[in-house]
Amino acid sequence: MSDPLRLVIVDDQQLVRAGLRPLAERDGDIVVVGEAADGRSGLARVQELRPDLVLMDLRMPVMDGLEATRAIVADERLDGVRVLVLTTFDEDEHVHEAIRAGASGYLLKDIAPDALRAAIRTVAAGDALLSPAITATVMRAVAEGAAPVDPRPLDGLTEREREVLTLIGRGLTNDEIAGELFLSPATSRTYVSRLLSRLGARDRAALVILAYETGLVRPGR
């Protein structure tokens, strides 16, 4: 049996933290190793404990979740620590700022308990996750011109790499991409890894944003 995933919860509401702990730990494969009530103390706890994943609120005193996320991502000692934003806010500016800060996922607090645990496992495994509501927010931002289309980051990509990035932007998993393009799952994963490297993207969430901001995927397509 593999070791449980180690989780730190950073949220300024004690009631929220108290509720999230049993939800996360219910199946036994996730353990909450620490909590914090603001971004600064959260950063300190993450540096001390080096968990697999951080559940991060955005609006907090002392240091907000965006600044704390940037600090975690920038700390080479915390390489491999993933940040999953869990918040009540879904405004465009927060989505883009959180992804650009280095968050590997962005969920709203109305998520079902089973879906939350699945999201923790997904992000801790190295994949990215955006809830459907968040993906819709990204698409709306592009449609309204909040995120100007700039295709230059795609210069140098092969036709196949563009196809894979398009499907990532549409929300397909590696296995679904393999089926769509008649590839083996291993080849699909190789293309995704190559795109992460060539585009300088930290994770899959950043690729989703790039697919929209470069115009490769557009709302309604």
Side-chain angles (χ1 to χ4, degrees), residues 135 138-140 142-145 147-151 166 169-170 208 210-221:
T135 301
V138 174
M139 291 190 297
R140 184 170 63 250
V142 174
E144 294 174 352
V149 172
D150 180 5
T166 298
R170 285 169 46 192
V208 172
L210 268 170
Y212 282 96
E213 292 186 341
T214 58
L216 197 58
V217 177
R218 293 182 180 275
R221 282 176 53 184

Side-chain angles (χ1 to χ4, degrees), residues 49-71:
L49 299 168
R50 301 190 185 185
D52 298 298
L53 186 135
V54 183
L55 270 184
M56 182 75 74
D57 190 20
L58 287 186
R59 295 281 184 91
M60 293 182 291
V62 185
M63 176 189 288
D64 66 25
L66 290 173
E67 188 175 351
T69 297
R70 291 189 190 99

Side-chain angles (χ1 to χ4, degrees), residues 38-203:
D38 62 73
R40 181 175 297 169
S41 58
L43 174 60
R45 292 294 278 162
V46 173
Q47 290 170 331
E48 172 193 357
L49 299 168
R50 301 190 185 185
D52 298 298
L53 186 135
V54 183
L55 270 184
M56 182 75 74
D57 190 20
L58 287 186
R59 295 281 184 91
M60 293 182 291
V62 185
M63 176 189 288
D64 66 25
L66 290 173
E67 188 175 351
T69 297
R70 291 189 190 99
I72 291 170
V73 172
D75 191 334
E76 294 182 356
R77 298 169 299 174
L78 302 178
D79 184 41
V81 176
R82 300 281 175 168
V83 177
L84 176 58
V85 170
L86 184 65
T87 181
T88 56
F89 298 92
D90 61 351
E91 294 92 342
D92 297 351
E93 62 183 282
H94 295 299
V95 177
H96 284 273
E97 288 182 31
I99 298 301
R100 293 195 182 286
S104 296
Y106 193 117
L107 300 173
L108 300 183
K109 287 182 177 176
D110 60 0
I111 189 171
D114 286 347
L116 174 61
R117 287 188 290 274
I120 290 171
R121 298 182 189 107
T122 295
V123 173
D127 290 324
L129 191 145
L130 298 176
S131 70
I134 297 305
T135 301
T137 297
V138 174
M139 291 190 297
R140 184 170 63 250
V142 174
E144 294 174 352
V149 172
D150 180 5
R152 288 175 296 177
L154 303 181
D155 291 348
L157 294 188
T158 66
E159 187 62 32
R160 178 63 84 186
E161 287 169 342
R162 287 171 177 258
E163 290 175 338
V164 172
L165 183 57
T166 298
L167 296 178
I168 292 172
R170 285 169 46 192
L172 274 66
T173 65
N174 288 352
D175 287 345
E176 290 169 338
I177 291 171
E180 185 83 9
L181 299 179
F182 303 102
L183 305 171
S184 70
T187 301
S188 174
R189 289 193 295 272
T190 297
Y191 272 112
V192 174
S193 296
R194 189 182 301 166
L195 285 168
L196 289 169
S197 177
R198 297 193 67 176
L199 295 173
R202 184 172 187 264
D203 52 36

